[in-house]
Amino acid sequence: MVPVLAGCLAAGALGAYGKLHEPTGIAVNVAGFSSPQTVKVWLATLAFLLALVQLFTALVMYGKLPVFRDASWLGGVHRWSGRAAFIVSIPVALHCLYALGFADYDTRVLVHSLLGCFFYGAFATKMLVLAKKGVPNWALPVFGGLVFTGLSGLFVTSALWFFTTFGVKF
């Protein structure tokens, strides 16, 4: 119960900060990209692709896919792809929170803001469940699935929306 409460607290704190903080409009930018928006879109896409690696390796480790069953490298790929996905998501989240805030001016943006809070809350819960002894066998796949679902929703409401609206840009 403590990991779930901590995750809810993390999600609520992010939402409250995003809503109460006056957006600065100052953006994360990286040389070589045409705009801060494209930086966010490509980092979000990379995080989503790494999350797909997470999903694939988790399905193999839980015996749901009959490939690479005895691969000793599978656990390492799972852990490192998750770490990389999280790290890549941080500049995107910082930009969203600091420069834009929690927004609700249309349905897509509201859903995106809610999913951002949900994703980091679910991630906090999953990490705490991972370190806890005596957790039921179903807990880690459920919270991992919630993290994947949150990140997938973020990708759909941001990067995929951008690509389908404005085209693929760098």
Side-chain angles (χ1 to χ4, degrees):
M1 200 61 174
V2 171
V4 172
L5 292 174
C8 289
L9 182 63
L14 287 171
Y17 174 80
K19 191 65 177 168
L20 298 174
H21 168 72
E22 186 67 34
T24 63
I26 297 171
V28 173
N29 205 355
V30 176
F33 287 93
S34 59
S35 71
Q37 186 83 7
T38 56
V39 174
K40 285 177 42 183
V41 164
W42 284 105
L43 287 175
T45 301
L46 178 57
F48 178 67
L49 292 173
L50 289 164
L52 290 174
V53 172
Q54 283 270 288
L55 176 63
F56 174 77
T57 55
L59 289 172
V60 172
M61 289 188 304
Y62 277 92
K64 303 300 181 187
L65 292 176
V67 294
F68 304 119
R69 285 199 176 162
D70 297 325
S72 61
W73 49 265
L74 199 61
V77 169
H78 184 78
R79 283 187 299 278
W80 281 102
S81 61
R83 290 171 183 155
F86 180 74
I87 289 168
V88 166
S89 78
I90 292 173
V92 178
L94 289 174
H95 172 84
C96 289
L97 279 172
Y98 190 71
L100 305 173
F102 187 101
D104 57 4
Y105 55 84
D106 73 24
T107 304
R108 179 192 63 83
V109 173
L110 173 61
V111 168
H112 183 75
S113 293
L114 291 169
L115 282 169
C117 297
F118 173 80
F119 168 73
Y120 283 101
F123 180 81
T125 302
K126 181 190 175 212
M127 290 298 102
L128 292 171
V129 164
L130 187 61
K132 198 161 177 60
K133 302 276 189 238
V135 174
N137 289 342
W138 57 263
L140 195 55
V142 166
F143 290 114
L146 291 172
V147 169
F148 179 79
T149 300
L151 189 56
S152 297
L154 286 167
F155 172 75
V156 167
T157 59
S158 62
L160 185 61
W161 172 83
F162 182 89
F163 291 141
T164 58
T165 304
F166 302 106
V168 176
K169 297 180 180 186
F170 291 98

